[in-house]
Amino acid sequence: MQFIKPGVNIDFIGKRKIAFAFSIIMIAVSITSLIIHKGPRFGIDFAGGTLIQVKFPAPVAAADIQAGLSTLGIAASTVQTFGERKDNEFLIRTDQSVTTGEGFERGVTEALKTATGAAGEIRRVEMVGPQVGQDLREKALFAMFYALLFITIYISGRFEMKWFLSAVVAAALIAAVYLLGLFQLSIPILIGAALVVTLILFWILQLKYAMGAIVALIHDVVITVGIFSLFNKEFNLSIIAALLTIIGYSLNDTIIVFDRIRENLRKFHKNTLHAIINRSVNETLNRTILTSLTTLVVVAALFALGGGIIHDFAFALLVGICVGTYSSIYVASPILVAWQGRKRR
């Protein structure tokens, strides 16, 4: 199956400045949203607290549920409909880490029955302590950072055959993270500083493929997190899993294009880099569209039919697949052209 006829030559690289401007606007909107909302809205996985899922046999009001919880001393609760409204199912979140058990569930059931007049069924109760939540948040951030780091080191070794320089980058980063850690910086600041060090090292050591790949991956993660912030969606462990999946998906697309660029650089070494990258992106465009469309169909089905548990996970993948496909064409490869322009100046 072919969506793109052979020989088509769309000038993707010629539109790179428009694409860069669009990406900068999207990143600025994402960061602004995160600043306004004071960071991602962490779920109980990361912030600590208690989650209660309850199903009622008849429609009830969220205000009545909150009133029932207040009799148990559970304050600052949010009550949201879970799944279809006709299911009469609710997710109750509180930032309090209460002691859960059979006695707690019985107390909640009775308090809700008194307040709503309907006997609710407790489907699940999850509690995470604040310290556990902080530990999980730090480990999740480190997982994403090291995924980005070692992936780009692999790319610089594979595409530029600079394995020694890749090892130097790895050693320098481990040392940088260790030294910065001595200043007791918060984990987000520490990882942000480490990413800046990474980009500086790639720039100094002229690892242009790695630079293109890591900028594209950071671009994808920031925009996906920003869209979650715009929609005020909860950020939990399943979203971290989705972000790691997005990183892998976007990187796969980028490697396919980089591989073709490397082949075409050998075949058409007399052509300009602009023409070679355009040719490479066009040659892989059919594969990119087919892969993205088939993946989108599956994820869209999960989003529509998968139920509330994986709804946000599927939403993150939908956003990430679109952004990742865009970045492999308009961010990762054009950076190689921008890099060449810098060297000429």
Side-chain angles (χ1 to χ4, degrees), residues 100-286:
T100 58
E102 190 176 336
F104 172 76
E105 292 187 18
R106 194 183 310 119
V108 170
T109 303
E110 291 174 358
L112 293 179
K113 184 179 180 181
T114 303
T116 63
E121 176 193 353
I122 304 293
R123 292 294 184 91
R124 61 171 164 146
V125 177
E126 296 175 5
M127 189 279 289
V128 177
Q131 186 59 46
V132 174
Q134 184 180 347
D135 290 345
L136 285 173
R137 191 164 66 236
E138 292 177 356
K139 287 176 180 175
L141 285 169
F142 270 122
M144 291 182 61
F145 168 68
Y146 283 114
L148 288 171
L149 170 64
F150 287 109
I151 281 170
T152 50
I153 289 173
Y154 162 73
I155 287 177
S156 62
R158 172 175 170 176
F159 288 98
E160 299 174 280
M161 302 306 292
K162 296 178 179 175
W163 289 105
F164 176 72
L165 289 181
S166 299
V168 170
V169 172
L173 271 173
I174 291 170
V177 170
Y178 174 75
L179 291 174
L180 290 170
L182 296 178
F183 293 97
Q184 303 294 320
L185 299 174
S186 68
I187 297 301
I189 293 175
L190 179 63
I191 291 177
L195 285 174
V196 171
V197 172
T198 306
L199 292 173
I200 291 172
L201 286 172
F202 285 158
W203 184 270
I204 293 172
L205 299 175
Q206 299 191 9
L207 301 172
K208 56 183 181 294
Y209 285 93
M211 174 73 86
I214 198 168
V215 169
L217 295 179
I218 293 171
H219 167 278
D220 298 345
V221 170
V222 170
I223 291 179
T224 305
V225 173
I227 290 176
F228 255 67
S229 175
L230 281 173
F231 285 94
N232 200 28
K233 285 186 171 292
E234 196 174 83
F235 207 81
N236 52 35
L237 280 175
S238 68
I239 305 307
I240 293 293
L243 290 177
L244 290 172
T245 306
I246 291 165
I247 288 172
Y249 180 88
S250 175
L251 183 72
N252 184 50
D253 256 5
T254 303
I255 285 178
I256 296 290
V257 177
F258 280 2
D259 232 0
R260 189 58 61 93
I261 291 172
R262 187 177 57 170
E263 289 174 9
N264 286 337
L265 278 171
R266 292 173 187 156
K267 289 181 188 173
F268 310 103
H269 59 275
K270 291 184 179 178
N271 290 359
T272 64
L273 183 60
H274 181 121
I276 289 173
I277 293 179
N278 246 343
R279 183 189 186 99
S280 304
V281 173
N282 278 285
E283 286 177 353
T284 54
L285 189 60
N286 198 55

Side-chain angles (χ1 to χ4, degrees), residues 241-243 245-246 296 299 302 312-322:
L243 290 177
T245 306
I246 291 165
L296 272 176
V299 177
L302 286 175
D312 286 351
F313 175 80
F315 178 75
L317 288 182
L318 278 176
V319 174
I321 289 169
C322 296

Side-chain angles (χ1 to χ4, degrees), residues 58-72:
V60 298
D64 291 338
I65 295 175
Q66 285 188 317
L69 292 172
S70 66
T71 63
L72 297 174

Side-chain angles (χ1 to χ4, degrees), residues 10-31:
I10 303 170
D11 186 13
F12 291 105
I13 303 303
K15 305 291 188 301
R16 66 183 184 281
K17 291 183 180 176
I18 298 173
F20 284 162
F22 177 72
S23 293
I24 289 170
I25 291 171
M26 290 294 291
I27 289 172
V29 169
S30 300
I31 293 173

